Amino acid sequence: MTMINAYAPDSAGTLPERERALIARREKLLGPAYRLFYADPIHVVRGEGSSLYDAEGNRYLDAYNNVASVGHSRPEVVEAMAKQAAVLNTHTRYLTDGILDFAEAFLAEFPAELSHLMLTCTGSEANDLALRVARVHTGGTGVIIAHNAYHGVTSALAEMSPSLGAAVKLGDHVRVVPAPDGYRMPEAEVGAAFARSVEEAIADLREKGIAPAALLVDTIFSSSGVFTDPAGFLAPAVEAMRKAGGIFIADEVQPGFGRLGTHMWGFARHGLVPDIVTVGKPMGNGHPVAGAVFRPEVIEAFGKSQRYFNTFGGNPVSCAVALAVLRVIKADRLQENALTVGTEMIDGLRALAAKHELIGDVRGSGLFIGVEMVRDRKLKTPASEETARVVNGMRQRRVLISATGQEGHILKIRPPLVFSSEDATLFLATLDEVLTAL
């Protein structure tokens, strides 16, 4: 299937010989299922802060990689990783201090109702575990997700991730509801409309003899198109699911860890306390660490009837890394930086919208921003081809972003949390230049 912002192999002839050789080597060794970004892929060899560098030493401003949340090659994180790896790395069936030190610090960032942590290696594993727990707790199997959502790559999660494409069949127990699109309806109606869709999905599940287990949403609707406002719109849908006997799983893998500026977690923008929260990606700044946070009553039955063990989940090195990342976020006030610089970015993007008709809408919170590109502002027609040209035009000028939404027409901007005002100025100037060139 095609992928948003993917390299097209038929354009290989325009690439330098070294990159063509690397691509051929990849195809020979890694097979056909991997994808590369950009019409002209980048051969990266080094990263630092908000920058990536290619084999020639050219700097690229990274406005996309949320995984390196505290900056590429962050020294405190590298030091914590190396120091712990030199002493001990084992699993959770031995008593160790590091996992408890991290758990205490991490759970302090959540509402008191969420007090149990289980660690995995990836967000996919975290969501998979959350679903297992939800099924035991509720006795149901039905799951409701948003249009074009992405929640993971395991078999269970792929069938709940329509953004993977039509070739990946959704589960019979999965229902998809329209995204909470405040651009195409009045913002005051978003919450009620989303809740109605969830209620209709619940009714359809029951009609088919399927008991609802969970409403599973990425709290910024990253793959659906980045929908953030109005704050609080998610609450009525959560209430509907709980009334039906299901639970609310907040997928914070992308929006979490202070990225939204106003709050540490996306669910907090909506005034909610989820039943389960899943986390990953930025948790280890590139090291594979993830997890799920639970209300004790939600995990009680699962813990009594089943055991959970993950060979690498919660190992001492991963815990040392995760604790170092958390400490950097707090010490460097990166949540506050996300709000300050993100506000500058959003204001600047809205100023560009006054100049460039292609920009239909600018939305987001902190350093997670979506810019919807349209061919006609009245009709709000998706400008998919133009968006691809913008993304690749930015790449040619060494500024990295990507796109999202089913039509691939929404610029997806989510830089490392260390993104500075100077970075924002460069980003906005470059985007202005690209849009003018179109």
Side-chain angles (χ1 to χ4, degrees):
M1 67 153 295
T2 58
M3 180 188 81
I4 292 173
N5 188 28
Y7 160 69
D10 56 9
S11 66
T14 64
L15 298 177
E17 174 57 33
R18 179 175 56 192
E19 278 64 42
R20 289 204 304 272
L22 273 176
I23 291 170
R25 190 178 172 202
R26 275 173 59 103
E27 292 173 348
K28 179 180 178 181
L29 296 172
L30 306 182
Y34 283 98
R35 300 290 186 272
L36 286 163
F37 266 162
Y38 305 110
D40 182 4
I42 306 166
H43 178 191
V44 293
V45 299
R46 183 171 69 88
E48 182 179 357
S50 59
S51 302
L52 289 170
Y53 296 87
D54 67 15
E56 280 74 41
N58 297 308
R59 182 216 180 196
Y60 293 76
L61 178 64
D62 186 356
Y64 183 71
N65 284 295
N66 64 324
V67 175
S69 58
V70 297
H72 293 282
S73 307
R74 182 75 187 210
E76 297 96 321
V77 178
V78 174
E79 181 183 3
M81 184 188 308
K83 184 177 179 180
Q84 183 60 52
V87 176
L88 173 71
N89 200 27
T90 185
H91 52 69
T92 54
R93 284 179 168 160
Y94 296 107
L95 286 170
T96 56
D97 296 307
I99 189 171
L100 304 179
D101 293 339
F102 172 67
E104 286 176 345
F106 190 56
L107 290 171
E109 300 298 325
F110 288 85
E113 296 93 327
L114 292 158
S115 58
H116 286 340
L117 169 67
M118 296 179 73
L119 292 169
T120 65
C121 302
T122 67
S124 295
E125 288 181 345
N127 278 330
D128 193 90
L129 173 60
L131 291 170
R132 288 176 59 190
V133 171
R135 287 166 180 159
V136 172
H137 176 68
T138 65
T141 59
V143 179
I144 297 172
I145 59 170
H147 172 80
N148 208 52
Y150 172 76
H151 293 293
V153 296
T154 66
S155 294
L157 271 304
E159 61 183 18
M160 299 179 192
S161 297
S163 65
L164 293 175
V168 182
K169 186 179 182 297
L170 297 183
D172 293 335
H173 60 296
V174 177
R175 295 296 181 273
V176 178
V177 296
D181 189 346
Y183 179 48
R184 287 175 171 76
M185 72 175 81
E187 279 195 355
E189 299 177 11
V190 170
F194 192 65
R196 275 196 307 273
S197 297
V198 169
E199 290 166 347
E200 290 167 2
I202 290 169
D204 187 62
L205 285 168
R206 285 177 164 164
E207 186 180 323
K208 305 297 191 301
I210 302 169
L215 171 65
L216 170 62
V217 297
D218 161 359
T219 56
I220 200 168
F221 297 86
S222 310
S223 296
S224 302
V226 186
F227 297 111
T228 53
D229 294 308
F233 76 75
L234 194 52
V238 171
E239 182 181 355
M241 175 52 72
R242 286 175 171 160
K243 184 178 179 181
I247 66 170
F248 169 42
I249 303 172
D251 183 338
E252 295 285 343
V253 172
Q254 294 200 57
F257 290 89
R259 171 162 295 281
L260 304 188
T262 56
H263 298 82
M264 187 69 164
W265 311 107
F267 65 77
R269 289 188 77 251
H270 295 286
L272 294 167
V273 179
D275 300 289
I276 304 175
V277 178
T278 55
V279 290
K281 289 191 195 300
M283 190 171 181
N285 209 54
H287 181 86
V289 55
V293 182
F294 304 87
R295 290 177 183 255
E297 64 271 23
V298 170
I299 199 171
E300 183 178 6
F302 180 88
K304 287 180 177 178
S305 64
Q306 303 181 38
R307 64 180 182 270
Y308 181 78
F309 176 65
N310 184 316
T311 302
F312 300 109
N315 72 75
V317 171
S318 293
C319 290
V321 167
L323 184 56
V325 171
L326 185 61
R327 285 174 171 167
V328 169
I329 291 172
K330 305 301 286 185
D332 286 12
R333 301 172 66 89
L334 293 183
Q335 180 180 326
E336 292 89 334
N337 185 70
L339 181 59
T340 299
V341 179
T343 300
E344 292 174 13
M345 292 271 282
I346 290 171
D347 289 346
L349 287 163
R350 286 175 176 157
L352 289 181
K355 180 179 178 182
H356 300 285
E357 288 286 323
L358 193 60
I359 297 178
D361 191 36
V362 177
R363 52 187 180 257
S365 180
L367 285 174
F368 208 133
I369 303 168
V371 180
E372 184 153 350
M373 315 294 274
V374 295
R375 288 177 178 159
D376 185 302
R377 284 188 174 179
K378 289 185 179 179
L379 299 176
K380 300 180 180 178
T381 313
S384 305
E385 181 183 338
E386 293 87 342
T387 303
R389 290 168 63 191
V390 170
V391 170
N392 283 289
M394 295 287 281
R395 176 260 175 270
Q396 292 299 330
R397 292 163 177 80
R398 299 177 187 152
V399 175
L400 306 181
I401 57 171
S402 191
T404 188
Q406 188 168 25
E407 305 298 328
H409 70 294
I410 300 159
L411 299 180
K412 190 176 185 180
I413 304 160
R414 45 166 206 188
L417 300 181
V418 294
F419 215 67
S420 67
S421 292
E422 292 76 17
D423 291 334
T425 298
L426 174 59
F427 174 88
L428 292 165
T430 306
L431 180 58
D432 187 21
E433 182 181 327
V434 170
L435 291 170
T436 300
L438 283 181

